[in-house]
Structures are given as structure tokens and as C-alpha cells.
Amino acid sequence: MNTSNPAVGFAGLGVMGRPMASHLVRAGYAMTLHDSVAGRAAEIAATLEGAVAVDVAARRERDRRVEPWLTEVTGARLGEIGVAMMDEPVSGAEWGAQAAELVFMCGGAAADLQRALPLLDCMGQAVFHLGPLGAATR
């Protein structure tokens, strides 16, 4: 693990998230993994050196949609404690995640996107900044 890289939190470890997180660990990022499926983050963290898991409660199926207002509120709350957040829907499907050839549509502050570019470059081939936090989920 490269100690000069920042620690990264990664949420969502399904079909695409698991290989994406794996690319970041291989690139030397310390990872804190989160997933809504109980036990999934711990299972994956056990296979990735430098990764730890924080399980979150499973959510009901109707709560799976992404709401821009929720993204904005969450980002504001995290900002109060000095944590930056971006919304970054991806295109490329499972094969793109495995091959690190995803396309990212990003919402968030331009300075935060610049800091995130090295991570996105580990997982994909193109990045588009769509505006402030929440813009990518609208």
C-alpha cells in the first residue's frame, strides 16, 4: 500500500463496485468498504490487503433509487465534518468495471474532482464533470 495516497471510502460493492474497489486497492489506496448487503463488505475486505469493512444496515428494495436531494443533503452533512463527496454514476457495465474502462459522469466541486481524478483513472477511461454535487444524478 502506498502511504502517500489518501484513504478512500467506497460504497456499493455489487457487480461493478467490487472490481472498481479492487483496482483502487491494487493502486495502493487504503480502502474502507461499505455495502448495504450485510456481510458483503467484510467478505470482500478479507480478500483485499489494505481494505477494511464497515457494514451498514440492509435497506428495503423501494429505497434503492438515487435521489439528487439526498445526495446534496448527505454531501452537506459530510462537508460539516471535512469530508468531500461526489456523485459519480458510471457507464461500462460489469466488463468495463473489470477492465478498468468505465466512463464517469461526475457531480461535485471542481477542486474535489481534481483530487479524485487519480482514483477515477485507476477505474476508467473517461471523466465528465456535469456540475455541482447532485448534478450527475439528475
Side-chain angles (χ1 to χ4, degrees):
M1 176 174 26
N2 181 346
T3 56
S4 65
N5 287 340
V8 175
F10 196 97
L13 299 164
V15 171
M16 293 175 68
R18 183 180 195 142
M20 293 167 69
S22 297
H23 292 306
L24 293 173
V25 169
R26 280 195 295 278
Y29 291 92
M31 302 288 295
T32 299
L33 305 176
H34 308 268
D35 197 82
S36 62
V37 174
R40 183 183 285 168
E43 171 194 326
I44 294 170
T47 68
L48 298 173
E49 185 177 339
V52 296
V54 176
D55 275 330
V56 295
R59 60 183 176 219
R60 288 169 279 178
E61 191 63 33
R62 70 180 174 82
D63 295 329
R64 290 185 165 260
R65 66 188 180 277
V66 176
E67 298 285 352
W69 68 267
L70 183 56
T71 299
E72 294 162 358
V73 168
T74 302
R77 299 271 315 266
L78 288 170
E80 292 171 2
I81 60 170
V83 175
M85 177 179 159
M86 298 191 67
D87 57 318
E88 299 174 352
V90 297
S91 177
E94 182 179 4
W95 66 266
Q98 291 171 345
E101 295 180 355
L102 295 171
V103 175
F104 294 90
M105 289 71 65
C106 303
D112 293 336
L113 176 59
Q114 288 303 309
R115 287 190 1 227
L117 281 176
L119 290 95
L120 301 177
D121 288 342
C122 290
M123 300 179 289
Q125 63 181 351
V127 176
F128 298 95
H129 188 209
L130 303 180
L133 185 63
T137 52
R138 291 197 189 281

